[in-house]
Amino acid sequence: MKKFFTLFLLTAFFAINAQETANRFFYELTFKPKKDSAKLDKVMMILDITKDKSIFRDYTMVAQDSTLKIQVENMQKSGVFKDLSKMVTMPKFSEKIYKFYPDIKVQYVERISSGFTPMNIGYNDDTKFDWKILNEKEKIGTYNTQKATTEFGGRKWTAWFSSEIPLQDGPYKFHGLPGLIVKIEDDGKNYSWELKGNKKVNNFSETTYLESVSPGGNGGKVQEIGRDKFEKTFNDFKKDPFASARPLLKPEMMSQKMPGSETTIGDMIKQQEKMLKDFFSANDNPIEIDTVSTKTKK
């Protein structure tokens, strides 16, 4: 199966089809959400590779996409509001990381809101990884891999890559080795990604259904800003997700009930605000610790 997949990559991966396809690589991430705790958490991440870019993100929302589409369409038909937050499993990570080929330009993207309109903000990361490729080899799953090390984001990383998959890509921002990264972890085992499988995705879309129908309709469009401005903007959003919408929330609006429900707009906003704050406070152990420490010193 592995040899067949490699042959497929070499012969058909960059073929131009009428409908876009992607090769989806599934990475299990084991991580410490709290830096002072030994407790580990797990989540499945995906690396979707198309002919001109890759997209790395949490698989949780993508996996629920068809179910949520049905729920939203049923609400639209019936005119009866349902609290989707009670039907959704929240992801562990909200960012998307794009790598644009062939130069592998990295773009880090988060979704915030401007008033009631969601928007994507992102910064470009031009980090050049200084990989040290070692002679040590290891079989991980079905892949023959080779060891490499680097330093990034204030942590020391060990990667295992496979030249059997001729793609210079990997989880998160990592790239630049002569083969796909099968496993990578830092020396403190705060974050460890391991490749668990792959499949071809036909009719691929890089945006989920909820993103495509959100107010503003910008889908995957990204507003690029400098990293310092990005960090400040996103940190402000995490502290108060509804700051930009609050001036628009008049008392008469907050007291209105959602269609076919006893839930008011005010109740819904309070629920969403708590959900977002709980989400952002669940992880205080960032992948890149040097940007946080630098920011704290300022």
Side-chain angles (χ1 to χ4, degrees), residues 52 99-106 125 127-128 168 175-176:
D52 58 359
K99 301 188 191 89
F100 296 96
Y101 301 150
D103 299 327
I104 313 192
K105 295 179 179 178
V106 178
D125 190 330
T127 298
K128 302 298 181 186
Q168 296 185 25
H175 65 278

Side-chain angles (χ1 to χ4, degrees), residues 151-157 187 287-291:
E151 293 187 18
F152 169 71
R155 300 186 192 273
K156 296 179 180 180
W157 300 88
D187 58 354
I287 297 169
E288 299 177 56
I289 54 177
D290 61 351
T291 58

Side-chain angles (χ1 to χ4, degrees), residues 25-30 43-45 138-142 160 171 181-185 191-197:
F25 295 87
F26 294 86
Y27 285 89
E28 183 179 71
L29 168 60
T30 303
V43 65
M44 189 62 71
M45 310 291 290
E138 183 174 314
K139 188 144 190 175
I140 299 177
T142 60
W160 297 88
I181 296 172
V182 172
K183 182 176 180 179
I184 184 166
E185 64 183 10
Y191 286 87
S192 177
W193 293 270
E194 184 173 339
L195 181 63
K196 293 297 183 180

Side-chain angles (χ1 to χ4, degrees), residues 81 83 85-86 242 263-278:
F81 168 78
D83 187 356
S85 65
K86 296 179 180 179
F242 284 89
T263 302
T264 66
I265 292 176
D267 292 335
M268 182 187 68
I269 288 174
K270 286 179 182 178
Q271 291 169 6
Q272 291 182 348
E273 186 171 29
K274 182 180 185 303
M275 181 177 66
L276 286 170
K277 286 185 175 180
D278 288 346

Side-chain angles (χ1 to χ4, degrees), residues 8-21 50-51:
F8 168 76
L9 283 173
L10 290 172
T11 59
F13 179 68
F14 292 108
I16 298 176
N17 301 308
Q19 295 175 323
E20 187 170 23
T21 62
T50 69
K51 65 181 182 294

